[in-house]
Amino acid sequence: MTTTLEAPAPSRTTASAPRSTPRRRTRGGALARTGPSKYFAHAGVWLYVILLAAPLYYLLISAFKRNTDIFNQPFSPFTPLTLDNFGLAFSQASLGTALLNSAYITIGAEVLTLALAVPAAFALARAKGSLGQMVERIFALGFLIPGFAALVPTVLLSIAMHLFHTREFLILFLPASAMPLTVILLTQAMRAVPAELEESAVLDGAGPLRVLWSVYVPLAVPTLTVVAILNFLSFWNEYFFSLVIIGPEATLRTAQVALPTLSIANAAQYGVLAAGILITLIPAYLVYAVFAEKMENAVLAGALKG
Amino acid sequence: MQKRVSIPLAGASAVVLAVSLGACASSQPASDPNQIVVQTNWTASQAQNKPLFAAFEAFTEETGIEVKVLESGDNLNQVYETSLLAGEEADVLLVGLLEKQLDWAINGAVVPVNDYIEEWGIADRIPEDALVDWTDAEDNVRAFPYSGFTWPWWYNTDLLTHAGVESVPTTTDELIDATKKLRAAGIAPVALGGIDWSGQKIFLQFLEMYMSTDEAKQVYAEGGTCDNPEAMKGIELLVELRDAGVFVDGVEGYTADQAQAAYMDGQAAIAPIGSWAYPSASDELAAATVLGGLPVADGAPFDKPLAYRGSTSAGWWISPNGEEKIDAVEQLITYMYGNDVLKGILDEGGVIPVADFGGDTSGVTSPLLAQSLTELPEAVDFPVMPDIYVPADVSNPMYRATSVAFTPGTDAATICQTVDDIYAAAK
């Protein structure tokens, strides 16, 4: 196959910059023209940043404190700080096993989701008739089903499949909940693939699978990255179905199910709980950090199109 | 290069995938008569529960029956009921009696233990009022009552003395007087969870101040607060104390944890806190703390301050799966009622057993627990514990009524109406 991809066209924003500007714009210059309102804008932005950062700071600092200090001096960094909470969280909730279980379910569900959604989106993107349109709408209807409403039939299904109290049922079930968004986004991304590229590939002898793999998938990578990250976060943080279907068995439960056992009504250990939450945030943060640039590029590419 | 994936091949792949997943699914083994699965919200990691888990190990050594523990948090109900649907529920549960559990024996989620409690010789060791608490409307003994609690009011005598209060207040007039002195000294008076389960119980303690036991049970079960003059007097008493500044500022938004932290940190001089918190008190605080109750009001039928005492902290419940291996379950439960085990959970864990095991409290090391067992019963009266009478679907919504009650400016009529509305909505 000899199909080649053209380099993306230069961004329009560069070309559309006002040519009459005699000197290069600087950020300070731009701000200077906004007048006194810039101070309000800056204050507003900083206030918003503080509002976003405050809960993270609270979580972080609480992970190093005793219960009493968390309540009496919630934001103060000047209380006795301890690392013990992390060790306690790890051992008390068996977080090592729980993190492995979460990773197993998340990766399994992610792979299955993409394995099902990519061909589905490919087919829908190429479909010309009303059947394809109807199927796409059926996927979109999936947004209307609240997860909670699906609990009872899902539990019954897991029992009927003899997969109740197993992690494998979650691997099968979670993709179902992620398919609507994944398929709809990927379908839109694949629709943007120029027909000429596919024609070239077909002329070179590529079948449908090769066209999908060598033409559509590379061009849909930015959107694939977005849905992969969104799905990862959703699967990693899933609590309710994991709790009910997998249950409290320490060797099977996920990190999100293990965490609440650190703090029950009469025996709250908020410092240990905060430490446990931080530990479980690390994998999610790492995944986001690795793929964040691709995700931002994908969003930006969408914003500049047209 | 062109590859075609045929429909039969795709179907075969799907079947292989499903079979593989089914094969590698690590479902629990079929019921093993030499293993008992215990589901509980007692966690092995907490110091007070160590004697229980040590007892499990000792039981296994003695009998060869393995005890597998499923540790659940506050969501134990939901997890258990769902696993029951699949027929994969734990054999035995160690959990308290409240909310959904109230109907478990009636709706078949657990096996009534009426016959077992007699046959196994445990009934004689359980106090009559505890058996009444654990018996439902259809005369099912829901479970074997195991551990209880006391829920006194804690008084920090160091802070009281510092403020010029010479003795622990036992009447509401004395409480108001103490409040003025405490506030003058810059010390918060009574800290309690005004917006959650703990505040709800204290709100009901006020409601009960002027009522008889039977009247309280009826009001808890059916509502009708506004129509009950005695209940209204209790609410008016709460309003009077609230407006006199008895409770910490902002109490209507306080949680139990915040209130406990305020007392433990010496910021508040008084707090109603349950026996589960005895181990949390520092030696210094424990030495300064005198356990008492809600000071009694003029005209109330009680002679002494009010504190709660209950037998519903935890019981041993038998599931339908557990009944299938009842011989092993009998061995476990009778073992757990052994005097050594009961004394261990009291002495080392600070957990108060329901069963009578001879009254030997000499091994109790926690000073507050010792005080609770010896001096508290003489110092207070124990009114009805509302947990088992307030319907499950009323209990949680009543937290809002509790917060309304503790909010400054709310009158008694509004408070009682809020409570009655909740009962009406639940019917």
Side-chain angles (χ1 to χ4, degrees), chain A residues 115-277:
Chain A
L116 293 172
V118 168
F122 175 55
L124 289 174
R126 300 170 89 211
K128 308 292 181 198
S130 57
L131 183 63
Q133 211 171 33
M134 192 178 74
V135 172
E136 193 177 349
R137 282 180 185 157
I138 289 173
F139 270 111
L141 284 176
F143 288 118
L144 301 179
I145 303 172
F148 213 85
L151 178 67
V152 173
T154 305
V155 168
L156 293 175
L157 180 66
S158 70
I159 293 167
M161 291 175 71
H162 302 289
L163 289 174
F164 188 67
H165 281 170
T166 68
R167 296 160 297 182
E168 286 72 21
F169 184 81
L170 259 283
I171 294 176
L172 292 175
F173 167 72
L174 290 175
S177 64
M179 285 297 273
L181 181 68
T182 309
V183 169
I184 297 294
L185 287 180
L186 284 176
T187 302
Q188 299 308 320
M190 290 187 179
R191 275 209 182 107
V193 175
E196 293 80 1
L197 287 178
E198 184 179 349
E199 287 165 12
S200 301
V202 171
L203 285 175
D204 283 346
L209 275 181
R210 171 58 68 183
V211 169
L212 167 62
W213 186 250
S214 299
V215 178
Y216 280 76
V217 169
L219 290 171
V221 161
T223 309
L224 269 173
T225 309
V226 172
V227 295
I229 289 178
L230 292 178
N231 288 340
F232 181 91
L233 295 177
S234 166
F235 297 160
W236 184 264
N237 292 321
E238 206 289 321
Y239 168 71
F240 195 63
F241 283 90
S242 304
L243 167 73
V244 172
I245 289 174
I246 298 178
E249 164 70 58
T251 56
L252 299 177
R253 69 187 180 192
T254 63
Q256 305 305 332
V257 175
L259 280 179
T261 62
L262 292 172
S263 189
I264 58 175
N266 286 353
Q269 307 178 87
Y270 292 106
V272 180
L273 182 61
I277 292 171

Side-chain angles (χ1 to χ4, degrees), chain A residues 72 92 210 239 249 267 270, chain B residues 1 45-46 68 75 257 265:
Chain A
N72 292 335
Q92 289 184 5
R210 171 58 68 183
Y239 168 71
E249 164 70 58
Y270 292 106
Chain B
M1 184 174 70
S45 54
Q46 290 177 307
K68 178 179 174 182
N75 43 40
D257 294 320
D265 208 37

Side-chain angles (χ1 to χ4, degrees), chain B residues 192-212:
Chain B
L192 53 83
I195 198 172
D196 64 9
W197 54 275
S198 65
Q200 180 224 29
K201 302 297 179 292
I202 303 305
F203 168 65
L204 295 176
Q205 208 168 50
F206 276 97
L207 205 72
E208 197 171 345
M209 175 68 82
Y210 294 95
M211 287 195 284
S212 66

Side-chain angles (χ1 to χ4, degrees), chain B residues 46-333:
Chain B
Q46 290 177 307
Q48 62 265 37
N49 299 335
K50 291 200 184 305
L52 177 85
F53 284 82
F56 285 150
E57 286 179 18
F59 170 75
T60 300
E61 277 180 25
E62 191 174 308
T63 63
I65 300 171
E66 184 196 350
V67 178
K68 178 179 174 182
V69 182
L70 301 180
E71 291 182 33
S72 293
D74 294 330
N75 43 40
L76 183 147
N77 290 342
Q78 194 142 26
V79 175
Y80 173 72
E81 289 177 3
T82 319
S83 60
L84 188 73
L85 194 65
E88 293 195 23
E89 77 277 7
D91 303 314
V92 170
L93 296 112
L94 178 62
V95 67
L97 175 61
L98 74 163
E99 299 180 359
K100 283 187 172 185
Q101 289 98 312
L102 292 168
D103 292 331
W104 269 0
I106 290 174
N107 60 30
V110 294
V111 178
V113 300
N114 301 51
D115 294 338
Y116 299 129
I117 199 170
E118 293 290 341
E119 287 170 18
W120 298 350
I122 293 173
D124 295 343
R125 302 176 58 203
I126 307 291
E128 187 58 33
D129 53 350
L131 270 182
V132 170
D133 286 352
W134 284 84
T135 303
D136 66 24
E138 294 184 2
D139 285 334
N140 300 308
V141 179
R142 301 169 172 108
F144 298 86
Y146 197 60
S147 76
F149 61 89
T150 53
W151 195 336
W153 285 48
W154 301 30
Y155 293 88
N156 184 331
T157 53
D158 282 350
L159 293 180
L160 291 176
T161 305
H162 178 74
V165 181
E166 292 174 0
S167 62
V168 168
T170 55
T171 68
T172 48
D173 289 340
E174 288 174 8
L175 180 61
I176 291 172
D177 183 53
T179 294
K180 289 175 185 164
K181 291 176 178 171
L182 285 165
R183 284 191 175 273
I187 300 167
V190 180
L192 53 83
I195 198 172
D196 64 9
W197 54 275
S198 65
Q200 180 224 29
K201 302 297 179 292
I202 303 305
F203 168 65
L204 295 176
Q205 208 168 50
F206 276 97
L207 205 72
E208 197 171 345
M209 175 68 82
Y210 294 95
M211 287 195 284
S212 66
T213 300
D214 289 340
E215 206 172 9
K217 288 178 183 175
Q218 187 191 348
V219 170
Y220 290 156
E222 299 168 15
T225 318
C226 293
D227 295 334
N228 188 304
E230 308 303 328
M232 286 306 294
K233 282 171 72 176
I235 293 177
E236 282 158 7
L237 174 68
L238 185 151
V239 169
E240 180 191 345
L241 295 186
R242 182 197 70 198
D243 293 347
V246 162
F247 308 112
V248 294
D249 296 338
V251 67
E252 66 275 17
Y254 256 55
T255 64
D257 294 320
Q258 283 175 292
Q260 186 175 317
Y263 184 86
M264 296 294 182
D265 208 37
Q267 295 179 17
I270 306 165
I273 308 174
S275 51
W276 48 85
Y278 291 153
S280 309
S282 66
D283 292 344
E284 186 184 1
L285 185 70
T289 295
V290 168
L291 302 178
L294 165 64
V296 70
D298 275 349
F302 297 98
D303 296 327
K304 294 180 271 189
L306 310 187
Y308 283 132
R309 178 171 62 182
S311 61
T312 54
S313 285
W316 294 98
W317 308 67
I318 301 176
S319 75
N321 272 348
E323 196 174 35
E324 289 179 11
K325 50 175 93 167
I326 199 67
D327 290 342
V329 170
E330 176 185 0
Q331 289 185 65
L332 175 69
I333 291 178

